Amino acid sequence: KAGVTQTPRYLIKTRGQQVTLSCSPISGHRSVSWYQQTPGQGLQFLFEYFSETQRNKGNFPGRFSGRQFSNSRSEMNVSTLELGDSALYLCASSFTVAGQDNEQFFGPGTRLTVL
Amino acid sequence: AQSVTQPDIHITVSEGASLELRCNYSYGATPYLFWYVQSPGQGLQLLLKYFSGDTLVQGIKGFEAEFKRSQSSFNLRKPSVHWSDAAEYFCAVGEGYGGSQGNLIFGKGTKLSVKP
């Protein structure tokens, strides 16, 4: 079974631009979560989607948004990029059994650099 | 608020020596606990998890962890470290609202170096 895939793997943008990152979960997984990883703040939860609905949201500004499609693929968007948005963005998926999620499987991440 | 503390930022051990990485959590209810490992430039790989039941859990690559409710700890152990274990290790707690594990709170990580 293929793992979680994220595209692109690397991205360079300039301040003020916007960016869209994509995540394809493991087949059969309906929950997709996004995390931001930086050296200073570590791993921080951005948001989680389940069946096309945002189920949880972390403490990030409204410039960060996401969505999930009917095939469970997810995208996250960051508008008006700031230097501090440079980070590794990780996507994770999990499957649900009897209403209970199981462990999350992580993708390799997208390395975003904002100049 | 829920939190996870990994008190050791960096640990160096000799190959073949035993390893213990510490993790303490703050959580009101019974937590869902995880250990992940991250190699440079890579995503996170799950080593082991604790949801309920036996407090000593076995994971991949010869790792184990013990959940101690009285100490709010979930320390990771390995009896004999291999050079390939050099990586960064993250402890995480799942909040599990409505059955969801989609919101994990991570510790800051412990970087493990292995001396030949």
Side-chain angles (χ1 to χ4, degrees), chain A residues 29-44:
Chain A
H29 288 196
R30 293 165 62 193
S31 171
V32 173
S33 297
W34 289 89
Y35 296 83
Q36 181 196 64
Q37 185 177 25
T38 60
Q41 299 299 317
L43 282 151
Q44 294 184 285

Side-chain angles (χ1 to χ4, degrees), chain B residues 14-101:
Chain B
S14 297
E15 191 169 16
S18 63
L19 171 71
E20 181 169 28
L21 301 182
R22 296 182 290 165
C23 172
N24 293 95
Y25 65 89
S26 171
Y27 189 70
T30 300
Y32 298 90
L33 295 161
F34 308 84
W35 274 99
Y36 284 89
V37 61
Q38 185 178 36
S39 298
Q42 301 298 313
L44 301 171
Q45 182 183 23
L46 179 70
L47 287 174
L48 46 78
K49 63 186 180 187
Y50 172 78
F51 283 0
S52 64
D54 193 348
T55 56
L56 183 64
V57 293
Q58 302 296 321
I60 62 171
K61 305 185 179 186
F63 286 94
E64 67 176 26
E66 186 171 12
F67 169 59
K68 292 186 178 180
R69 185 190 301 276
S70 61
Q71 299 177 20
S72 296
S73 69
F74 188 57
N75 294 348
L76 182 71
R77 300 193 294 249
K78 186 170 185 178
S80 178
V81 169
H82 188 262
W83 65 266
S84 60
D85 293 325
E88 191 156 19
Y89 292 79
F90 293 92
C91 181
V93 61
E95 294 193 308
Y97 292 134
S100 165
Q101 299 305 321

Side-chain angles (χ1 to χ4, degrees), chain A residues 32 36 50 55 57 59 67 80 82 84 86 96 108:
Chain A
V32 173
Q36 181 196 64
F50 179 80
R55 189 157 63 171
K57 188 177 188 305
N59 189 25
R67 59 177 175 169
T80 318
E82 300 177 359
S86 294
T96 302

